[in-house]
Amino acid sequence: MKVAVCISGQLRKLHRTDINGLADHIGADVFIHTWEDETNPNLAKVREHFPNACLETEKYSDVFDHLPFILDEGIVTNRYYFAQFYTVMKSFHLCKDQGYDLIYKARTDVKMDPSTYNFEDKLADLENSIKRIPGTNGESPCAFAILQYANLQYVDFQDSFWSMNSAALDRLTQCSPSEIAVLASRYKFENQLVQGPSIWGRILVDLGINIITTSIGSGGPIKKNPELPVVPGHGEIG
């Protein structure tokens, strides 16, 4: 099985990351999209932790200053809020059309012990989970995540660490990163207080991608560091 790990965004708590160990443990290739910006101080250190990764950087202003986001006073006024959707999509595009069977999306600050991540058992659980869902099979576009909430309007799942099959990657990357970022702004505006995980759930469902709860889509909690500064529109820095 050919596996990719896609990392994106601020590269928070990079010095404490477990994701490089996970990639080595499961034999995955790593793809990273991140920002060349003063709010991303870990950019200079990324090769220390991911020496063989496919890495692409961009500047916020080059991407976001001209996209037609829907901004609204009291909901989102900072267009860089939607960078989280663009950068995730960009990391997916870096690995598209390369024959990957399983693609992980992971934040660098997800806490886990790679040595206890039993990949073979999780693959078996994934296959059994697909079989239990009516209308799905090995070729159906599926995302694997831990559901946190669901109703008739949207699905909320743990978006710090999840995975998908090649069919879902193909379906998702038919959209450009810019298209998804602008779509996220529309969903944010329409649903008022809906947060990032719910917006991702809406995007996947609207694209016809099944979201299945299975252990392969479960990561640990986000590593906490209350001393890190928080910059509006960017989150924790460091």
Side-chain angles (χ1 to χ4, degrees), residues 183-192 199 202-203 206:
L183 183 62
S185 78
R186 180 165 67 83
Y187 287 163
K188 181 75 175 178
F189 177 78
E190 290 175 349
N191 294 283
Q192 300 291 309
I199 296 175
R202 173 79 180 274
I203 290 169
D206 284 359

Side-chain angles (χ1 to χ4, degrees), residues 63-71 79 81-87 89 175-190 199-200 203:
V63 176
F64 294 106
D65 286 358
H66 306 291
L67 289 179
F69 292 122
I70 298 176
L71 303 177
R79 62 180 52 245
Y81 173 89
F82 301 105
Q84 61 182 295
F85 301 95
Y86 178 95
T87 187
M89 283 294 297
C175 303
S176 72
S178 296
E179 288 173 329
I180 291 296
V182 172
L183 183 62
S185 78
R186 180 165 67 83
Y187 287 163
K188 181 75 175 178
F189 177 78
E190 290 175 349
I199 296 175
W200 272 117
I203 290 169

Side-chain angles (χ1 to χ4, degrees), residues 4-37:
V5 172
C6 294
I7 297 169
S8 54
Q10 289 286 340
L11 307 180
R12 295 184 177 94
K13 309 177 188 75
L14 183 64
H15 66 291
R16 297 167 56 197
T17 189
D18 296 324
I19 303 303
N20 51 357
L22 174 68
D24 290 342
H25 180 65
I26 64 177
D29 298 322
V30 178
F31 298 84
I32 301 174
H33 177 268
T34 189
W35 302 106
E36 183 182 342
D37 190 81

Side-chain angles (χ1 to χ4, degrees), residues 115-153:
S115 67
T116 63
Y117 190 87
N118 193 318
F119 189 49
E120 296 301 324
D121 285 354
K122 291 180 182 295
L123 285 177
D125 182 44
L126 180 154
E127 293 174 0
N128 291 331
S129 298
I130 291 176
K131 293 176 182 177
R132 290 195 298 266
I133 306 298
T136 62
N137 55 49
E139 298 179 356
S140 301
C142 296
F144 313 108
I146 298 301
L147 296 182
Q148 299 177 141
Y149 179 78
N151 63 19
L152 294 177
Q153 291 183 307

